[in-house]
Amino acid sequence: MNSIKAHSPFFAFIALVAIIRLLLAPHLGLGADEAHYVIYALNLDWSYYDHPPLVGWVQYIFTSIFGLNEFGARVSAISIGFFTSIFIYFLIFQIDKDSKRSFIAILALHASFLFNALFLMTMPDTLLFLLIIPIIYSVIAIEEKGSNRSWLMLGLFLGLAGLAKYTAILFLIPIILYFIIRRRFDILFSPNIIPSAFLALLIVSPVIYWNIQTDFASLIYQSNHVVGASSINWNGFTTSLVGQFIAYNPFLFPLAFFGLYKSLRSKNSYLFLSALFGLVLFSFFTYSALYKTALPHWSALFYMLFIPIGVYYFYELSKGYKKYLKIGIGFGLIVSALIYIEVATKIIPLPDENSLQIDIYGFENILKEANGAIKDGESLAVTHWTLASRAIFYNDKYRSKMFLIDSRDDQFDIWEKSSPIGKDLIVIDINFLHKNVNNYMKCDKVEKLKSFNVTLDKSKPNTIELVKCTNFQGLK
């Protein structure tokens, strides 16, 4: 009974946070990535051009149950945030059964700004949050018990990870390293590897099948996407690190590396294996950032593991360090709460160009205006993929066709069943991704139809122009 009571503050906190996110979910327009993966759910396939299919399959299930809307699109991520917090809490709690410090570690996780977005938006990375701790526990179970069930569970979780994101292939490296360091060569050459590997391959077989059918288009895209340049870009590398420093809370960012250090020196098997995962993941994405600017969420698994672990060990050092944690965690929770309040209520006065609502608010109204301007035989178009994902999602209730007009090869080329060539297009041009249609597209005639603002009280986060391109004939 006392052990249950010791965990009650933690469970009360994560339940409260989950409820807040569920209440917030329908009041926030979809971001570009999360809308993109909801469109996966509208176009079920064996795999997709930019990612494996699990995120789309998950979104299909949740939007079928909770509706094809902002709420339905976010229930999966909120659920993952809830259960991932439990997994991380008990990973840390097993160190020395200290519920108070474990709870503080989870507070730090939710005080890291980016996780308050990632636990609200379902993306391939979000799915890996839920899988990495079970993978770690399965590896330790194999080391300690070696049962057939442990091997099959590892194959299951690795297969699901591969079905979620290509970089899950990196998970094999720390597992192999762990058994080499532990001198468990008997495990590395165990015949139990065969059914475990077969199960994992069976689960990822849809991805293999899709890539064979498309001449490995997705694998080629990913290799160029992660490390796309041939020379080092120091500006991009610096931008990547600064982005992580800000995204994960400047106070808590350095504690992730302290957590990695403590885990590498730990005799606790779970922590040491976690450290090997962290080293491999952080090394890979740091290397890739040398050639192409890395987005902050690419390294999210590393910070998800080691900010809480770092805080856990940092708390025991001295009173001065505890004060630092109070400031850092308090700062993160307050700022995150203010961001949630603003995106839900839109009450914080911000200049147009600095509005938190830019790029996430007003797409439903934009598509209503655009469809009101269409005449028979005309179609809608946007000129950037981040607009296309929202445009397709919010245009689903209308009968008009939506085209993405750009020069890159992507998933939208597969989804578009007809060509825009020869059609009259109404181009939705938004201020923050403006394209001059006259200079960008070949048209018999370019005509500005109307201009309007997406307004929030007195601010105007977005200005939209509807531009007609008569008889579109390609890009200039």
Side-chain angles (χ1 to χ4, degrees):
M1 188 71 179
N2 288 333
S3 62
I4 296 174
K5 186 177 180 181
H7 301 309
S8 58
F10 159 71
F11 281 109
F13 172 75
I14 62 168
L16 175 63
V17 170
I19 291 170
I20 290 171
R21 288 172 179 153
L22 288 171
L23 293 173
L24 173 67
H27 300 287
L28 172 65
L30 294 186
D33 283 336
E34 57 177 336
H36 190 65
Y37 303 127
V38 174
I39 300 172
Y40 277 18
L42 296 175
N43 298 271
L44 289 179
D45 206 341
W46 294 109
S47 192
Y48 300 92
Y49 187 87
D50 37 9
H51 285 292
L54 187 59
V55 65
W57 297 355
V58 168
Q59 286 295 59
Y60 176 79
I61 294 170
F62 278 86
T63 55
S64 297
I65 296 171
F66 297 101
L68 187 64
N69 49 47
E70 289 89 348
F71 182 81
R74 291 182 169 127
V75 176
S76 55
I78 295 168
S79 302
I80 288 171
F82 179 83
F83 288 106
T84 297
S85 297
I86 294 175
F87 290 168
I88 296 292
Y89 176 83
F90 283 104
L91 172 70
I92 294 174
F93 178 75
Q94 58 83 32
I95 298 172
D96 55 16
K97 306 297 188 287
D98 189 328
S99 59
K100 179 181 178 181
R101 283 163 59 200
S102 300
F103 174 43
I104 292 170
I106 296 301
L107 286 176
L109 177 66
H110 290 271
S112 304
F113 307 132
L114 190 56
F115 289 114
N116 285 299
L118 294 175
F119 290 153
L120 194 62
M121 302 185 300
T122 302
M123 300 196 294
D125 309 80
T126 320
L127 301 176
L128 292 184
F129 295 164
L130 196 62
L131 293 169
I132 192 167
I133 303 299
I135 288 172
I136 289 170
Y137 271 77
S138 297
V139 172
I140 301 304
I142 288 171
E143 181 187 28
E144 294 178 350
K145 302 175 184 178
S147 65
N148 292 336
R149 181 178 181 275
S150 300
W151 279 101
L152 290 176
M153 292 304 291
L154 179 61
L156 170 66
F157 293 130
L158 285 175
L160 289 173
L163 206 61
K165 195 166 182 179
Y166 285 111
T167 49
I169 190 69
L170 296 171
F171 290 0
L172 295 176
I173 300 174
I175 294 172
I176 294 170
L177 281 175
Y178 178 79
F179 289 130
I180 291 174
I181 293 170
R182 295 296 198 196
R183 298 184 182 277
R184 293 299 305 270
F185 301 105
D186 58 313
I187 294 176
L188 288 176
F189 296 100
S190 169
N192 286 323
I193 286 179
I194 296 173
S196 180
F198 177 79
L199 178 59
L201 286 171
L202 181 65
I203 292 171
V204 300
S205 61
V207 182
I208 299 170
Y209 171 77
W210 188 92
N211 272 280
I212 291 173
Q213 294 294 106
T214 58
D215 295 324
F216 300 95
S218 187
L219 293 176
I220 293 169
Y221 164 78
Q222 284 294 332
S223 64
N224 293 328
H225 181 59
V226 177
V227 184
S230 58
S231 59
I232 293 176
N233 180 354
W234 290 109
N235 287 335
F237 179 75
T238 304
T239 300
S240 300
L241 292 182
V242 172
Q244 293 173 39
F245 177 75
I246 296 171
Y248 294 102
N249 187 333
F251 290 100
L252 302 178
F253 171 83
L255 297 185
F257 301 95
F258 180 66
L260 177 63
Y261 167 76
K262 294 293 288 187
S263 298
L264 280 171
R265 292 175 57 87
S266 176
K267 294 181 180 180
N268 183 297
S269 298
Y270 299 98
L271 290 190
F272 183 69
L273 178 56
S274 298
L276 294 179
F277 271 89
L279 272 178
V280 169
L281 292 170
F282 188 78
S283 298
F284 174 79
F285 287 114
T286 301
Y287 171 77
S288 67
L290 287 169
Y291 297 92
K292 184 169 184 175
T293 303
L295 299 176
H297 71 271
W298 291 1
S299 301
L301 275 176
F302 172 81
Y303 294 102
M304 186 198 76
L305 287 171
F306 294 106
I307 284 178
I309 293 172
V311 166
Y312 181 85
Y313 281 111
F314 202 71
Y315 184 82
E316 68 179 353
L317 295 181
S318 73
K319 289 184 178 180
Y321 293 113
K322 291 178 184 177
K323 185 176 180 180
Y324 176 90
L325 287 178
K326 288 180 180 178
I327 294 171
I329 293 173
F331 171 74
L333 292 175
I334 290 170
V335 171
S336 297
L338 288 173
I339 293 173
Y340 273 9
I341 290 170
E342 163 58 14
V343 296
T345 64
K346 309 167 184 65
I347 62 173
I348 300 175
L350 293 169
D352 297 348
E353 66 276 7
N354 293 323
S355 173
L356 294 175
Q357 306 295 339
I358 197 168
D359 195 31
I360 61 171
Y361 175 75
F363 276 87
E364 190 168 4
N365 292 334
I366 292 169
L367 269 298
K368 181 179 179 181
E369 290 277 354
N371 277 279
I374 284 183
K375 297 178 181 178
D376 290 342
E378 296 176 343
S379 301
L380 297 177
V382 292
T383 57
H384 196 278
W385 78 265
T386 60
L387 300 178
S389 59
R390 269 78 60 82
I392 293 173
F393 176 82
Y394 287 105
N395 199 54
D396 187 62
K397 67 176 72 172
Y398 302 102
R399 299 183 66 180
S400 59
K401 286 188 176 182
M402 176 68 64
F403 290 99
L404 169 61
I405 308 299
D406 68 356
S407 58
R408 76 175 202 158
D409 295 325
D410 55 25
Q411 181 65 47
F412 294 98
D413 298 311
I414 298 172
W415 285 332
E416 290 177 355
K417 304 303 182 184
S418 59
S419 171
I421 300 296
K423 297 187 183 305
D424 294 340
L425 302 177
I426 307 299
V427 180
I428 302 171
D429 185 41
I430 300 182
N431 58 303
F432 60 84
L433 283 173
H434 169 68
K435 282 279 178 68
N436 187 313
V437 175
N438 254 322
N439 298 333
Y440 183 66
M441 299 164 62
K442 297 177 183 177
C443 313
D444 287 354
K445 181 181 178 182
V446 174
E447 176 186 1
K448 179 179 174 182
L449 298 182
K450 67 184 300 185
S451 177
F452 59 95
N453 297 313
V454 174
T455 58
L456 287 169
D457 295 327
K458 296 181 180 179
S459 67
K460 301 185 290 292
N462 292 324
T463 299
I464 295 88
E465 287 188 351
L466 299 180
V467 182
K468 182 176 179 179
C469 168
T470 303
N471 189 24
F472 172 65
Q473 292 298 316
L475 299 177
K476 289 186 177 180

